Amino acid sequence: MASHQLIDDYVNRLARRLPADAVDELADGITDTWHQHVAAGRSPTQAAHAAIAEFGTPQQITDAFVAQAPGRRAARLLLATGPVAAACWGASLIVSRAWTWPIPHPAAVVFGSALLLVVAVLVLAATGRHSYRRTRLAGVGGLGLLVLDAAMVAAALLLAPTLVWPMAAAVPVSLARMMWTIRSLPSALAS
Amino acid sequence: MNAQAQVLKGHLDVLLLATLEAGPRHGYAVKEALREGSGGRFDLPTGTIYPALHRLAGAGLIAGSWSTVDGRRRRTYRLTAAGQRRLHADRSNWHDFATAITALLETRPWPATS
């Protein structure tokens, strides 16, 4: 633990905003900084103020972590694939006359609603600037997109009366996105 | 953040990699190496160096390992092979860039245009 009440309070404020590993690392660093100022002849309280000033405010540090959060980057990448996937699947659905597929209307409505919800969650994760927790919504959004991609591929392969040429692009796009999501999300969520 | 710190941000990755070239360091030691190596000119808030280290670790350019020092958990970073390669490439690019800029900024008469 830190060695001065001001440092303890500072670390506690960080702990409410950031992952435990990051907080442990910051606590070690600011305690080192405090010790250095004490060794230089400052009083413990002066040393605490100096160490905190050197580190930056908890909001500054949180914002820096948010800007480089793996979840934020993952959400941005997934959103960036949206136009390509939408174009491929849109063409596939139109060319194969998707309204003739044997899919109950409520299921299509649920799928569309889920897609809008997933996009909204990813946008939230991608655009936050001050909350690290918000970047972790990328996990929920990524998982949702994984399920939707799988559902879309399954529907195209199993329910479409005939396979149409745009699916030759749409299916690989979805499969590639699913593989990237499976590979990337665990590390993004662990940090 | 002052103007110098803004300029520094564009080069922060290679500077962080360079501080680890001599051997593993923890976050505070990296910050001290940056400060001492720049003669005290670089003035980023210390806390903002840590997320940059995390990003470099995520990119596989450095690797962190945990130990316990004085009862506190400490994460120490070292350059990976990929980090070494990036450092050498960025250093070479910087030398070329700096040489060109220095040549342009040298006090000398500019060639007249017609």
Side-chain angles (χ1 to χ4, degrees), chain A residues 119-171:
Chain A
V119 170
V121 167
L122 287 174
V123 167
L124 277 175
T127 56
R129 292 194 299 165
H130 305 300
S131 166
Y132 198 87
R133 282 197 196 95
R134 188 165 150 180
T135 70
R136 293 192 148 172
L137 285 173
V140 179
L143 198 60
L145 200 57
L146 188 67
V147 172
L148 292 177
D149 268 326
M152 204 64 214
V153 170
L157 298 180
L158 301 176
L159 300 178
T162 56
L163 297 181
V164 294
W165 63 265
M167 289 179 188
V171 171

Short mmCIF file of all heavy atoms in Angstrom, two decimals, chain A residues 119-171:
data_model
loop_
_atom_site.label_atom_id
_atom_site.label_comp_id
_atom_site.label_asym_id
_atom_site.label_seq_id
_atom_site.Cartn_x
_atom_site.Cartn_y
_atom_site.Cartn_z
N VAL A 119 -24.97 -2.60 -32.41
CA VAL A 119 -24.28 -1.43 -32.97
C VAL A 119 -24.25 -0.30 -31.94
O VAL A 119 -23.21 0.36 -31.75
CB VAL A 119 -24.95 -0.97 -34.28
CG1 VAL A 119 -24.40 0.38 -34.74
CG2 VAL A 119 -24.75 -2.02 -35.37
N ALA A 120 -25.37 -0.09 -31.27
CA ALA A 120 -25.43 0.98 -30.27
C ALA A 120 -24.43 0.73 -29.14
O ALA A 120 -23.73 1.64 -28.68
CB ALA A 120 -26.85 1.09 -29.70
N VAL A 121 -24.33 -0.52 -28.70
CA VAL A 121 -23.39 -0.87 -27.62
C VAL A 121 -21.95 -0.64 -28.08
O VAL A 121 -21.12 -0.10 -27.33
CB VAL A 121 -23.61 -2.33 -27.18
CG1 VAL A 121 -22.47 -2.81 -26.30
CG2 VAL A 121 -24.93 -2.48 -26.43
N LEU A 122 -21.65 -1.05 -29.31
CA LEU A 122 -20.28 -0.85 -29.83
C LEU A 122 -19.96 0.63 -29.98
O LEU A 122 -18.83 1.06 -29.70
CB LEU A 122 -20.12 -1.57 -31.17
CG LEU A 122 -20.04 -3.10 -31.10
CD1 LEU A 122 -20.02 -3.72 -32.50
CD2 LEU A 122 -18.80 -3.55 -30.32
N VAL A 123 -20.95 1.42 -30.40
CA VAL A 123 -20.72 2.87 -30.51
C VAL A 123 -20.41 3.44 -29.13
O VAL A 123 -19.50 4.27 -28.98
CB VAL A 123 -21.95 3.56 -31.16
CG1 VAL A 123 -21.85 5.08 -30.99
CG2 VAL A 123 -22.05 3.20 -32.63
N LEU A 124 -21.15 3.00 -28.13
CA LEU A 124 -20.89 3.48 -26.76
C LEU A 124 -19.46 3.14 -26.35
O LEU A 124 -18.74 3.97 -25.79
CB LEU A 124 -21.88 2.84 -25.78
CG LEU A 124 -23.25 3.49 -25.66
CD1 LEU A 124 -24.14 2.66 -24.74
CD2 LEU A 124 -23.14 4.91 -25.12
N ALA A 125 -19.04 1.90 -26.62
CA ALA A 125 -17.69 1.47 -26.22
C ALA A 125 -16.61 2.22 -27.00
O ALA A 125 -15.54 2.51 -26.47
CB ALA A 125 -17.54 -0.04 -26.45
N ALA A 126 -16.91 2.55 -28.24
CA ALA A 126 -15.89 3.16 -29.10
C ALA A 126 -15.73 4.65 -28.87
O ALA A 126 -14.70 5.22 -29.21
CB ALA A 126 -16.25 2.90 -30.57
N THR A 127 -16.75 5.29 -28.33
CA THR A 127 -16.73 6.75 -28.27
C THR A 127 -16.51 7.32 -26.88
O THR A 127 -16.37 8.54 -26.75
CB THR A 127 -18.05 7.33 -28.83
OG1 THR A 127 -19.14 6.75 -28.10
CG2 THR A 127 -18.19 7.01 -30.31
N GLY A 128 -16.47 6.47 -25.86
CA GLY A 128 -16.26 7.00 -24.51
C GLY A 128 -14.87 7.59 -24.36
O GLY A 128 -13.91 7.10 -24.96
N ARG A 129 -14.76 8.68 -23.62
CA ARG A 129 -13.44 9.30 -23.43
C ARG A 129 -13.04 9.38 -21.97
O ARG A 129 -11.89 9.63 -21.65
CB ARG A 129 -13.43 10.70 -24.03
CG ARG A 129 -13.53 10.67 -25.55
CD ARG A 129 -13.18 12.01 -26.15
NE ARG A 129 -14.08 13.04 -25.69
CZ ARG A 129 -13.85 14.35 -25.81
NH1 ARG A 129 -12.74 14.75 -26.38
NH2 ARG A 129 -14.72 15.24 -25.38
N HIS A 130 -14.02 9.20 -21.08
CA HIS A 130 -13.72 9.42 -19.66
C HIS A 130 -14.01 8.21 -18.77
O HIS A 130 -13.74 8.27 -17.58
CB HIS A 130 -14.50 10.63 -19.14
CG HIS A 130 -14.27 11.87 -19.94
ND1 HIS A 130 -13.03 12.45 -20.09
CD2 HIS A 130 -15.13 12.63 -20.66
CE1 HIS A 130 -13.14 13.53 -20.85
NE2 HIS A 130 -14.39 13.65 -21.22
N SER A 131 -14.56 7.16 -19.32
CA SER A 131 -14.93 6.01 -18.48
C SER A 131 -14.32 4.72 -19.04
O SER A 131 -14.65 4.31 -20.16
CB SER A 131 -16.46 5.87 -18.42
OG SER A 131 -16.81 4.60 -17.91
N TYR A 132 -13.45 4.09 -18.22
CA TYR A 132 -12.83 2.84 -18.67
C TYR A 132 -13.87 1.73 -18.73
O TYR A 132 -13.82 0.87 -19.61
CB TYR A 132 -11.69 2.45 -17.74
CG TYR A 132 -10.75 1.45 -18.37
CD1 TYR A 132 -9.68 1.87 -19.14
CD2 TYR A 132 -10.94 0.08 -18.21
CE1 TYR A 132 -8.82 0.97 -19.75
CE2 TYR A 132 -10.09 -0.83 -18.81
CZ TYR A 132 -9.04 -0.38 -19.57
OH TYR A 132 -8.20 -1.28 -20.17
N ARG A 133 -14.83 1.77 -17.79
CA ARG A 133 -15.87 0.72 -17.77
C ARG A 133 -16.62 0.70 -19.10
O ARG A 133 -16.99 -0.35 -19.61
CB ARG A 133 -16.85 0.97 -16.63
CG ARG A 133 -16.32 0.55 -15.28
CD ARG A 133 -17.44 0.43 -14.26
NE ARG A 133 -16.87 0.39 -12.92
CZ ARG A 133 -16.73 1.45 -12.16
NH1 ARG A 133 -17.14 2.63 -12.58
NH2 ARG A 133 -16.19 1.36 -10.97
N ARG A 134 -16.84 1.88 -19.62
CA ARG A 134 -17.61 1.97 -20.88
C ARG A 134 -16.89 1.26 -22.02
O ARG A 134 -17.54 0.66 -22.88
CB ARG A 134 -17.82 3.45 -21.20
CG ARG A 134 -18.76 3.69 -22.35
CD ARG A 134 -19.21 5.13 -22.36
NE ARG A 134 -19.48 5.56 -23.72
CZ ARG A 134 -19.88 6.77 -24.05
NH1 ARG A 134 -20.05 7.68 -23.12
NH2 ARG A 134 -20.12 7.07 -25.32
N THR A 135 -15.56 1.29 -22.02
CA THR A 135 -14.83 0.61 -23.11
C THR A 135 -15.04 -0.90 -23.04
O THR A 135 -14.90 -1.60 -24.04
CB THR A 135 -13.32 0.90 -23.06
OG1 THR A 135 -12.74 0.26 -21.93
CG2 THR A 135 -13.04 2.39 -23.01
N ARG A 136 -15.37 -1.39 -21.84
CA ARG A 136 -15.57 -2.84 -21.70
C ARG A 136 -16.88 -3.33 -22.29
O ARG A 136 -17.11 -4.53 -22.42
CB ARG A 136 -15.47 -3.22 -20.22
CG ARG A 136 -14.06 -3.02 -19.70
CD ARG A 136 -13.88 -3.63 -18.37
NE ARG A 136 -12.50 -4.09 -18.22
CZ ARG A 136 -12.00 -4.53 -17.10
NH1 ARG A 136 -12.74 -4.59 -16.03
NH2 ARG A 136 -10.75 -4.92 -17.04
N LEU A 137 -17.75 -2.38 -22.65
CA LEU A 137 -18.97 -2.77 -23.35
C LEU A 137 -18.62 -3.44 -24.68
O LEU A 137 -19.46 -4.14 -25.27
CB LEU A 137 -19.85 -1.55 -23.62
CG LEU A 137 -20.60 -0.97 -22.42
CD1 LEU A 137 -21.28 0.33 -22.81
CD2 LEU A 137 -21.62 -1.97 -21.90
N ALA A 138 -17.39 -3.23 -25.14
CA ALA A 138 -16.96 -3.88 -26.39
C ALA A 138 -17.10 -5.39 -26.27
O ALA A 138 -17.37 -6.08 -27.28
CB ALA A 138 -15.52 -3.51 -26.71
N GLY A 139 -16.94 -5.93 -25.08
CA GLY A 139 -17.09 -7.38 -24.88
C GLY A 139 -18.50 -7.83 -25.18
O GLY A 139 -18.72 -8.82 -25.90
N VAL A 140 -19.47 -7.09 -24.66
CA VAL A 140 -20.88 -7.43 -24.89
C VAL A 140 -21.21 -7.25 -26.37
O VAL A 140 -21.83 -8.12 -27.00
CB VAL A 140 -21.79 -6.51 -24.04
CG1 VAL A 140 -23.25 -6.82 -24.29
CG2 VAL A 140 -21.46 -6.66 -22.56
N GLY A 141 -20.76 -6.13 -26.92
CA GLY A 141 -21.05 -5.86 -28.33
C GLY A 141 -20.41 -6.89 -29.24
O GLY A 141 -21.02 -7.36 -30.20
N GLY A 142 -19.15 -7.25 -28.94
CA GLY A 142 -18.43 -8.22 -29.76
C GLY A 142 -19.10 -9.59 -29.71
O GLY A 142 -19.25 -10.27 -30.74
N LEU A 143 -19.53 -9.96 -28.50
CA LEU A 143 -20.21 -11.25 -28.34
C LEU A 143 -21.52 -11.25 -29.12
O LEU A 143 -21.87 -12.23 -29.81
CB LEU A 143 -20.46 -11.51 -26.85
CG LEU A 143 -20.76 -12.93 -26.43
CD1 LEU A 143 -19.60 -13.84 -26.81
CD2 LEU A 143 -21.05 -13.01 -24.94
N GLY A 144 -22.24 -10.14 -29.02
CA GLY A 144 -23.51 -10.03 -29.75
C GLY A 144 -23.29 -10.13 -31.24
O GLY A 144 -24.03 -10.83 -31.95
N LEU A 145 -22.26 -9.45 -31.72
CA LEU A 145 -21.98 -9.47 -33.16
C LEU A 145 -21.57 -10.87 -33.62
O LEU A 145 -21.91 -11.31 -34.72
CB LEU A 145 -20.87 -8.46 -33.48
CG LEU A 145 -20.76 -8.01 -34.92
CD1 LEU A 145 -22.08 -7.40 -35.41
CD2 LEU A 145 -19.65 -6.99 -35.08
N LEU A 146 -20.85 -11.56 -32.74
CA LEU A 146 -20.44 -12.94 -33.04
C LEU A 146 -21.67 -13.81 -33.26
O LEU A 146 -21.76 -14.58 -34.24
CB LEU A 146 -19.61 -13.46 -31.86
CG LEU A 146 -18.92 -14.80 -31.98
CD1 LEU A 146 -17.82 -14.72 -33.02
CD2 LEU A 146 -18.32 -15.20 -30.63
N VAL A 147 -22.65 -13.69 -32.36
CA VAL A 147 -23.88 -14.48 -32.47
C VAL A 147 -24.65 -14.10 -33.74
O VAL A 147 -25.14 -14.96 -34.47
CB VAL A 147 -24.76 -14.27 -31.21
CG1 VAL A 147 -26.12 -14.92 -31.38
CG2 VAL A 147 -24.05 -14.84 -29.97
N LEU A 148 -24.72 -12.79 -34.01
CA LEU A 148 -25.47 -12.35 -35.19
C LEU A 148 -24.80 -12.81 -36.48
O LEU A 148 -25.47 -13.22 -37.43
CB LEU A 148 -25.60 -10.82 -35.18
CG LEU A 148 -26.48 -10.24 -34.06
CD1 LEU A 148 -26.47 -8.72 -34.11
CD2 LEU A 148 -27.90 -10.78 -34.17
N ASP A 149 -23.46 -12.73 -36.51
CA ASP A 149 -22.74 -13.22 -37.70
C ASP A 149 -23.01 -14.72 -37.90
O ASP A 149 -23.27 -15.17 -39.02
CB ASP A 149 -21.23 -12.98 -37.53
CG ASP A 149 -20.78 -11.66 -38.12
OD1 ASP A 149 -21.35 -11.23 -39.14
OD2 ASP A 149 -19.85 -11.04 -37.55
N ALA A 150 -22.92 -15.47 -36.79
CA ALA A 150 -23.15 -16.92 -36.88
C ALA A 150 -24.57 -17.20 -37.36
O ALA A 150 -24.80 -18.08 -38.21
CB ALA A 150 -22.90 -17.57 -35.52
N ALA A 151 -25.53 -16.44 -36.84
CA ALA A 151 -26.93 -16.65 -37.23
C ALA A 151 -27.12 -16.34 -38.72
O ALA A 151 -27.83 -17.05 -39.43
CB ALA A 151 -27.83 -15.75 -36.38
N MET A 152 -26.46 -15.28 -39.17
CA MET A 152 -26.61 -14.87 -40.57
C MET A 152 -26.00 -15.93 -41.50
O MET A 152 -26.61 -16.30 -42.52
CB MET A 152 -25.89 -13.53 -40.75
CG MET A 152 -26.39 -12.72 -41.89
SD MET A 152 -28.10 -12.23 -41.66
CE MET A 152 -28.62 -12.29 -43.36
N VAL A 153 -24.82 -16.41 -41.14
CA VAL A 153 -24.17 -17.43 -41.98
C VAL A 153 -25.03 -18.70 -42.00
O VAL A 153 -25.27 -19.30 -43.06
CB VAL A 153 -22.75 -17.75 -41.45
CG1 VAL A 153 -22.17 -18.97 -42.15
CG2 VAL A 153 -21.84 -16.54 -41.65
N ALA A 154 -25.52 -19.10 -40.80
CA ALA A 154 -26.34 -20.31 -40.72
C ALA A 154 -27.61 -20.15 -41.54
O ALA A 154 -28.02 -21.07 -42.28
CB ALA A 154 -26.68 -20.61 -39.26
N ALA A 155 -28.24 -18.97 -41.44
CA ALA A 155 -29.48 -18.74 -42.18
C ALA A 155 -29.23 -18.81 -43.69
O ALA A 155 -30.02 -19.40 -44.43
CB ALA A 155 -30.07 -17.38 -41.81
N ALA A 156 -28.13 -18.22 -44.11
CA ALA A 156 -27.83 -18.20 -45.55
C ALA A 156 -27.58 -19.62 -46.07
O ALA A 156 -28.05 -19.99 -47.15
CB ALA A 156 -26.63 -17.31 -45.83
N LEU A 157 -26.84 -20.39 -45.28
CA LEU A 157 -26.46 -21.73 -45.76
C LEU A 157 -27.60 -22.74 -45.63
O LEU A 157 -27.70 -23.67 -46.42
CB LEU A 157 -25.22 -22.23 -45.01
CG LEU A 157 -23.95 -21.39 -45.19
CD1 LEU A 157 -22.79 -21.99 -44.41
CD2 LEU A 157 -23.59 -21.27 -46.68
N LEU A 158 -28.46 -22.54 -44.60
CA LEU A 158 -29.48 -23.55 -44.33
C LEU A 158 -30.87 -23.19 -44.84
O LEU A 158 -31.66 -24.07 -45.17
CB LEU A 158 -29.55 -23.82 -42.82
CG LEU A 158 -28.25 -24.30 -42.16
CD1 LEU A 158 -28.43 -24.43 -40.64
CD2 LEU A 158 -27.84 -25.65 -42.75
N LEU A 159 -31.17 -21.90 -44.87
CA LEU A 159 -32.55 -21.51 -45.18
C LEU A 159 -32.73 -20.91 -46.56
O LEU A 159 -33.84 -20.94 -47.10
CB LEU A 159 -33.06 -20.52 -44.12
CG LEU A 159 -33.08 -21.03 -42.69
CD1 LEU A 159 -33.57 -19.95 -41.73
CD2 LEU A 159 -34.00 -22.26 -42.58
N ALA A 160 -31.66 -20.33 -47.11
CA ALA A 160 -31.81 -19.71 -48.43
C ALA A 160 -32.11 -20.79 -49.46
O ALA A 160 -31.45 -21.83 -49.48
CB ALA A 160 -30.55 -18.96 -48.80
N PRO A 161 -33.13 -20.55 -50.28
CA PRO A 161 -33.48 -21.58 -51.29
C PRO A 161 -32.31 -21.88 -52.21
O PRO A 161 -32.09 -23.03 -52.59
CB PRO A 161 -34.65 -20.94 -52.06
CG PRO A 161 -35.15 -19.84 -51.16
CD PRO A 161 -34.02 -19.39 -50.34
N THR A 162 -31.57 -20.84 -52.59
CA THR A 162 -30.39 -21.05 -53.44
C THR A 162 -29.28 -20.12 -52.95
O THR A 162 -29.55 -19.06 -52.39
CB THR A 162 -30.68 -20.70 -54.91
OG1 THR A 162 -31.15 -19.35 -54.95
CG2 THR A 162 -31.67 -21.64 -55.53
N LEU A 163 -28.04 -20.57 -53.16
CA LEU A 163 -26.91 -19.71 -52.82
C LEU A 163 -26.70 -18.73 -53.97
O LEU A 163 -26.76 -19.13 -55.13
CB LEU A 163 -25.66 -20.55 -52.58
CG LEU A 163 -25.75 -21.52 -51.41
CD1 LEU A 163 -24.43 -22.29 -51.25
CD2 LEU A 163 -26.06 -20.80 -50.10
N VAL A 164 -26.47 -17.47 -53.62
CA VAL A 164 -26.28 -16.44 -54.65
C VAL A 164 -24.86 -15.90 -54.54
O VAL A 164 -24.20 -15.99 -53.50
CB VAL A 164 -27.32 -15.32 -54.51
CG1 VAL A 164 -28.70 -15.86 -54.79
CG2 VAL A 164 -27.25 -14.69 -53.12
N TRP A 165 -24.39 -15.29 -55.65
CA TRP A 165 -22.97 -14.91 -55.71
C TRP A 165 -22.53 -13.92 -54.62
O TRP A 165 -21.39 -14.01 -54.15
CB TRP A 165 -22.61 -14.41 -57.11
CG TRP A 165 -23.35 -13.16 -57.53
CD1 TRP A 165 -24.50 -13.11 -58.25
CD2 TRP A 165 -22.99 -11.82 -57.23
NE1 TRP A 165 -24.91 -11.82 -58.42
CE2 TRP A 165 -23.98 -11.00 -57.81
CE3 TRP A 165 -21.94 -11.21 -56.53
CZ2 TRP A 165 -23.97 -9.62 -57.71
CZ3 TRP A 165 -21.92 -9.83 -56.45
CH2 TRP A 165 -22.92 -9.05 -57.03
N PRO A 166 -23.36 -12.95 -54.18
CA PRO A 166 -22.85 -12.04 -53.13
C PRO A 166 -22.51 -12.76 -51.82
O PRO A 166 -21.72 -12.27 -51.02
CB PRO A 166 -23.99 -11.05 -52.93
CG PRO A 166 -24.78 -11.09 -54.19
CD PRO A 166 -24.70 -12.53 -54.64
N MET A 167 -23.09 -13.94 -51.63
CA MET A 167 -22.78 -14.70 -50.40
C MET A 167 -21.33 -15.16 -50.40
O MET A 167 -20.76 -15.43 -49.34
CB MET A 167 -23.71 -15.91 -50.27
CG MET A 167 -25.14 -15.54 -49.92
SD MET A 167 -26.17 -17.01 -49.81
CE MET A 167 -27.79 -16.28 -49.63
N ALA A 168 -20.73 -15.26 -51.60
CA ALA A 168 -19.33 -15.67 -51.67
C ALA A 168 -18.43 -14.62 -51.00
O ALA A 168 -17.31 -14.92 -50.59
CB ALA A 168 -18.91 -15.86 -53.13
N ALA A 169 -18.93 -13.40 -50.89
CA ALA A 169 -18.18 -12.36 -50.17
C ALA A 169 -18.70 -12.24 -48.73
O ALA A 169 -17.93 -12.09 -47.78
CB ALA A 169 -18.31 -11.03 -50.90
N ALA A 170 -20.04 -12.30 -48.59
CA ALA A 170 -20.65 -12.05 -47.28
C ALA A 170 -20.24 -13.10 -46.24
O ALA A 170 -19.90 -12.75 -45.10
CB ALA A 170 -22.18 -12.01 -47.42
N VAL A 171 -20.29 -14.37 -46.65
CA VAL A 171 -19.96 -15.43 -45.68
C VAL A 171 -18.51 -15.33 -45.20
O VAL A 171 -18.25 -15.36 -43.99
CB VAL A 171 -20.29 -16.83 -46.26
CG1 VAL A 171 -19.76 -17.93 -45.36
CG2 VAL A 171 -21.80 -16.97 -46.43
#
